[in-house]
Amino acid sequence: MEIREFQNLMRQIYYQRDQQRGLAGTFVWFAEEVGELAKSIREGNRENYGEEFSDVLAWLASLANLLGVDLEQAVEKYKKGCPRCGKIPCQCG
Ligand SMILES: [Zn+2]
């Protein structure tokens, strides 16, 4: 699934609830999921990594939908390599 497709799916599933919850509440949930990912990494809980990444991505997509940010455009920034040095891999000192 491409990132635009994923964002659209998240919009279809959650946009109404995301709107009702609002930006601040949605950001708090996003931060909580990042915290859960951090906890999994800290505990070396490898079997949870995939699920935690799913949740972080879903909440990031919810935020992007609320803010009208196109994630497909967001990834364009890195399309030609490191945005600072333009190299792949990054050669920044
Ligand atoms: Zn660089």
Side-chain angles (χ1 to χ4, degrees), residues 82 84-87 90-92:
C82 171
R84 267 179 75 199
C85 67
K87 298 282 197 297
C90 169
Q91 303 289 318
C92 292

Side-chain angles (χ1 to χ4, degrees), residues 18-31:
D18 289 340
Q19 248 190 338
Q20 286 165 358
R21 185 186 313 105
L23 187 56
T26 301
F27 190 88
V28 168
W29 273 102
F30 168 70

Side-chain angles (χ1 to χ4, degrees), residues 7-91:
Q7 184 172 4
N8 283 336
L9 182 61
M10 293 300 102
R11 184 182 294 112
Q12 287 165 28
I13 299 174
Y14 294 120
Y15 189 72
Q16 204 174 356
R17 267 207 280 174
D18 289 340
Q19 248 190 338
Q20 286 165 358
R21 185 186 313 105
L23 187 56
T26 301
F27 190 88
V28 168
W29 273 102
F30 168 70
E32 184 165 317
E33 289 300 337
V34 171
E36 284 182 19
L37 175 60
K39 188 168 182 270
S40 284
I41 293 169
R42 186 168 48 79
E43 292 172 352
N45 208 347
R46 294 190 153 272
E47 64 272 21
N48 282 1
Y49 291 169
E51 197 181 326
E52 297 303 347
F53 271 92
S54 295
D55 295 340
V56 168
L57 282 172
W59 284 101
L60 184 68
S62 278
L63 276 178
N65 285 333
L66 283 176
L67 291 165
V69 170
D70 181 357
L71 290 179
E72 191 75 31
Q73 269 182 358
V75 300
E76 290 284 306
K77 179 179 180 182
Y78 292 91
K79 196 175 166 186
K80 292 176 180 168
C82 171
R84 267 179 75 199
C85 67
K87 298 282 197 297
I88 303 173
C90 169
Q91 303 289 318

